[in-house]
PDB file of all heavy atoms in Angstrom:
ATOM      1  N   LYS A 124      35.834  -4.283  -4.201  1.00  0.00           N
ATOM      2  CA  LYS A 124      36.940  -4.173  -3.244  1.00  0.00           C
ATOM      3  C   LYS A 124      38.251  -4.610  -3.878  1.00  0.00           C
ATOM      4  O   LYS A 124      39.292  -4.000  -3.645  1.00  0.00           O
ATOM      5  CB  LYS A 124      36.644  -5.031  -2.014  1.00  0.00           C
ATOM      6  CG  LYS A 124      35.522  -4.509  -1.179  1.00  0.00           C
ATOM      7  CD  LYS A 124      35.231  -5.447  -0.017  1.00  0.00           C
ATOM      8  CE  LYS A 124      34.022  -4.969   0.757  1.00  0.00           C
ATOM      9  NZ  LYS A 124      33.652  -5.899   1.836  1.00  0.00           N
ATOM     10  N   GLY A 125      38.203  -5.668  -4.671  1.00  0.00           N
ATOM     11  CA  GLY A 125      39.414  -6.145  -5.339  1.00  0.00           C
ATOM     12  C   GLY A 125      39.987  -5.120  -6.305  1.00  0.00           C
ATOM     13  O   GLY A 125      41.208  -4.947  -6.398  1.00  0.00           O
ATOM     14  N   ALA A 126      39.105  -4.421  -7.020  1.00  0.00           N
ATOM     15  CA  ALA A 126      39.575  -3.383  -7.945  1.00  0.00           C
ATOM     16  C   ALA A 126      40.206  -2.227  -7.180  1.00  0.00           C
ATOM     17  O   ALA A 126      41.226  -1.678  -7.599  1.00  0.00           O
ATOM     18  CB  ALA A 126      38.426  -2.894  -8.810  1.00  0.00           C
ATOM     19  N   TRP A 127      39.599  -1.850  -6.045  1.00  0.00           N
ATOM     20  CA  TRP A 127      40.191  -0.783  -5.221  1.00  0.00           C
ATOM     21  C   TRP A 127      41.563  -1.202  -4.707  1.00  0.00           C
ATOM     22  O   TRP A 127      42.495  -0.400  -4.646  1.00  0.00           O
ATOM     23  CB  TRP A 127      39.283  -0.422  -4.041  1.00  0.00           C
ATOM     24  CG  TRP A 127      38.219   0.559  -4.381  1.00  0.00           C
ATOM     25  CD1 TRP A 127      36.881   0.359  -4.323  1.00  0.00           C
ATOM     26  CD2 TRP A 127      38.394   1.908  -4.832  1.00  0.00           C
ATOM     27  NE1 TRP A 127      36.208   1.486  -4.713  1.00  0.00           N
ATOM     28  CE2 TRP A 127      37.124   2.463  -5.034  1.00  0.00           C
ATOM     29  CE3 TRP A 127      39.511   2.695  -5.096  1.00  0.00           C
ATOM     30  CZ2 TRP A 127      36.934   3.759  -5.481  1.00  0.00           C
ATOM     31  CZ3 TRP A 127      39.321   3.991  -5.540  1.00  0.00           C
ATOM     32  CH2 TRP A 127      38.046   4.505  -5.732  1.00  0.00           C
ATOM     33  N   MET A 128      41.700  -2.473  -4.319  1.00  0.00           N
ATOM     34  CA  MET A 128      42.999  -2.964  -3.846  1.00  0.00           C
ATOM     35  C   MET A 128      44.029  -2.884  -4.970  1.00  0.00           C
ATOM     36  O   MET A 128      45.182  -2.498  -4.743  1.00  0.00           O
ATOM     37  CB  MET A 128      42.863  -4.404  -3.334  1.00  0.00           C
ATOM     38  CG  MET A 128      42.126  -4.490  -2.029  1.00  0.00           C
ATOM     39  SD  MET A 128      41.721  -6.160  -1.475  1.00  0.00           S
ATOM     40  CE  MET A 128      43.158  -7.090  -1.804  1.00  0.00           C
ATOM     41  N   GLY A 129      43.628  -3.234  -6.197  1.00  0.00           N
ATOM     42  CA  GLY A 129      44.541  -3.149  -7.335  1.00  0.00           C
ATOM     43  C   GLY A 129      44.951  -1.719  -7.642  1.00  0.00           C
ATOM     44  O   GLY A 129      46.125  -1.442  -7.903  1.00  0.00           O
ATOM     45  N   VAL A 130      43.996  -0.809  -7.603  1.00  0.00           N
ATOM     46  CA  VAL A 130      44.293   0.607  -7.859  1.00  0.00           C
ATOM     47  C   VAL A 130      45.239   1.147  -6.793  1.00  0.00           C
ATOM     48  O   VAL A 130      46.227   1.835  -7.091  1.00  0.00           O
ATOM     49  CB  VAL A 130      42.990   1.430  -7.927  1.00  0.00           C
ATOM     50  CG1 VAL A 130      43.281   2.918  -7.882  1.00  0.00           C
ATOM     51  CG2 VAL A 130      42.200   1.079  -9.175  1.00  0.00           C
ATOM     52  N   THR A 131      44.965   0.832  -5.526  1.00  0.00           N
ATOM     53  CA  THR A 131      45.808   1.312  -4.420  1.00  0.00           C
ATOM     54  C   THR A 131      47.225   0.749  -4.546  1.00  0.00           C
ATOM     55  O   THR A 131      48.209   1.483  -4.390  1.00  0.00           O
ATOM     56  CB  THR A 131      45.193   0.911  -3.071  1.00  0.00           C
ATOM     57  OG1 THR A 131      43.866   1.406  -3.012  1.00  0.00           O
ATOM     58  CG2 THR A 131      45.987   1.472  -1.917  1.00  0.00           C
ATOM     59  N   THR A 132      47.345  -0.541  -4.830  1.00  0.00           N
ATOM     60  CA  THR A 132      48.662  -1.162  -4.980  1.00  0.00           C
ATOM     61  C   THR A 132      49.406  -0.554  -6.162  1.00  0.00           C
ATOM     62  O   THR A 132      50.602  -0.273  -6.070  1.00  0.00           O
ATOM     63  CB  THR A 132      48.513  -2.680  -5.168  1.00  0.00           C
ATOM     64  OG1 THR A 132      47.777  -3.209  -4.066  1.00  0.00           O
ATOM     65  CG2 THR A 132      49.852  -3.363  -5.257  1.00  0.00           C
ATOM     66  N   GLY A 133      48.717  -0.354  -7.270  1.00  0.00           N
ATOM     67  CA  GLY A 133      49.341   0.260  -8.440  1.00  0.00           C
ATOM     68  C   GLY A 133      49.851   1.662  -8.158  1.00  0.00           C
ATOM     69  O   GLY A 133      50.968   2.021  -8.557  1.00  0.00           O
ATOM     70  N   LEU A 134      49.038   2.473  -7.469  1.00  0.00           N
ATOM     71  CA  LEU A 134      49.475   3.830  -7.114  1.00  0.00           C
ATOM     72  C   LEU A 134      50.683   3.801  -6.182  1.00  0.00           C
ATOM     73  O   LEU A 134      51.609   4.598  -6.338  1.00  0.00           O
ATOM     74  CB  LEU A 134      48.327   4.601  -6.468  1.00  0.00           C
ATOM     75  CG  LEU A 134      47.217   5.050  -7.417  1.00  0.00           C
ATOM     76  CD1 LEU A 134      46.072   5.679  -6.625  1.00  0.00           C
ATOM     77  CD2 LEU A 134      47.759   6.027  -8.435  1.00  0.00           C
ATOM     78  N   LEU A 135      50.680   2.880  -5.224  1.00  0.00           N
ATOM     79  CA  LEU A 135      51.822   2.761  -4.315  1.00  0.00           C
ATOM     80  C   LEU A 135      53.082   2.387  -5.080  1.00  0.00           C
ATOM     81  O   LEU A 135      54.158   2.958  -4.839  1.00  0.00           O
ATOM     82  CB  LEU A 135      51.519   1.715  -3.235  1.00  0.00           C
ATOM     83  CG  LEU A 135      52.619   1.479  -2.214  1.00  0.00           C
ATOM     84  CD1 LEU A 135      52.821   2.723  -1.363  1.00  0.00           C
ATOM     85  CD2 LEU A 135      52.312   0.280  -1.360  1.00  0.00           C
TER      86      LEU A 135
END
Side-chain angles (χ1 to χ4, degrees):
K124 291 177 185 176
W127 276 118
M128 288 172 42
V130 167
T131 304
T132 304
L134 287 174
L135 180 66

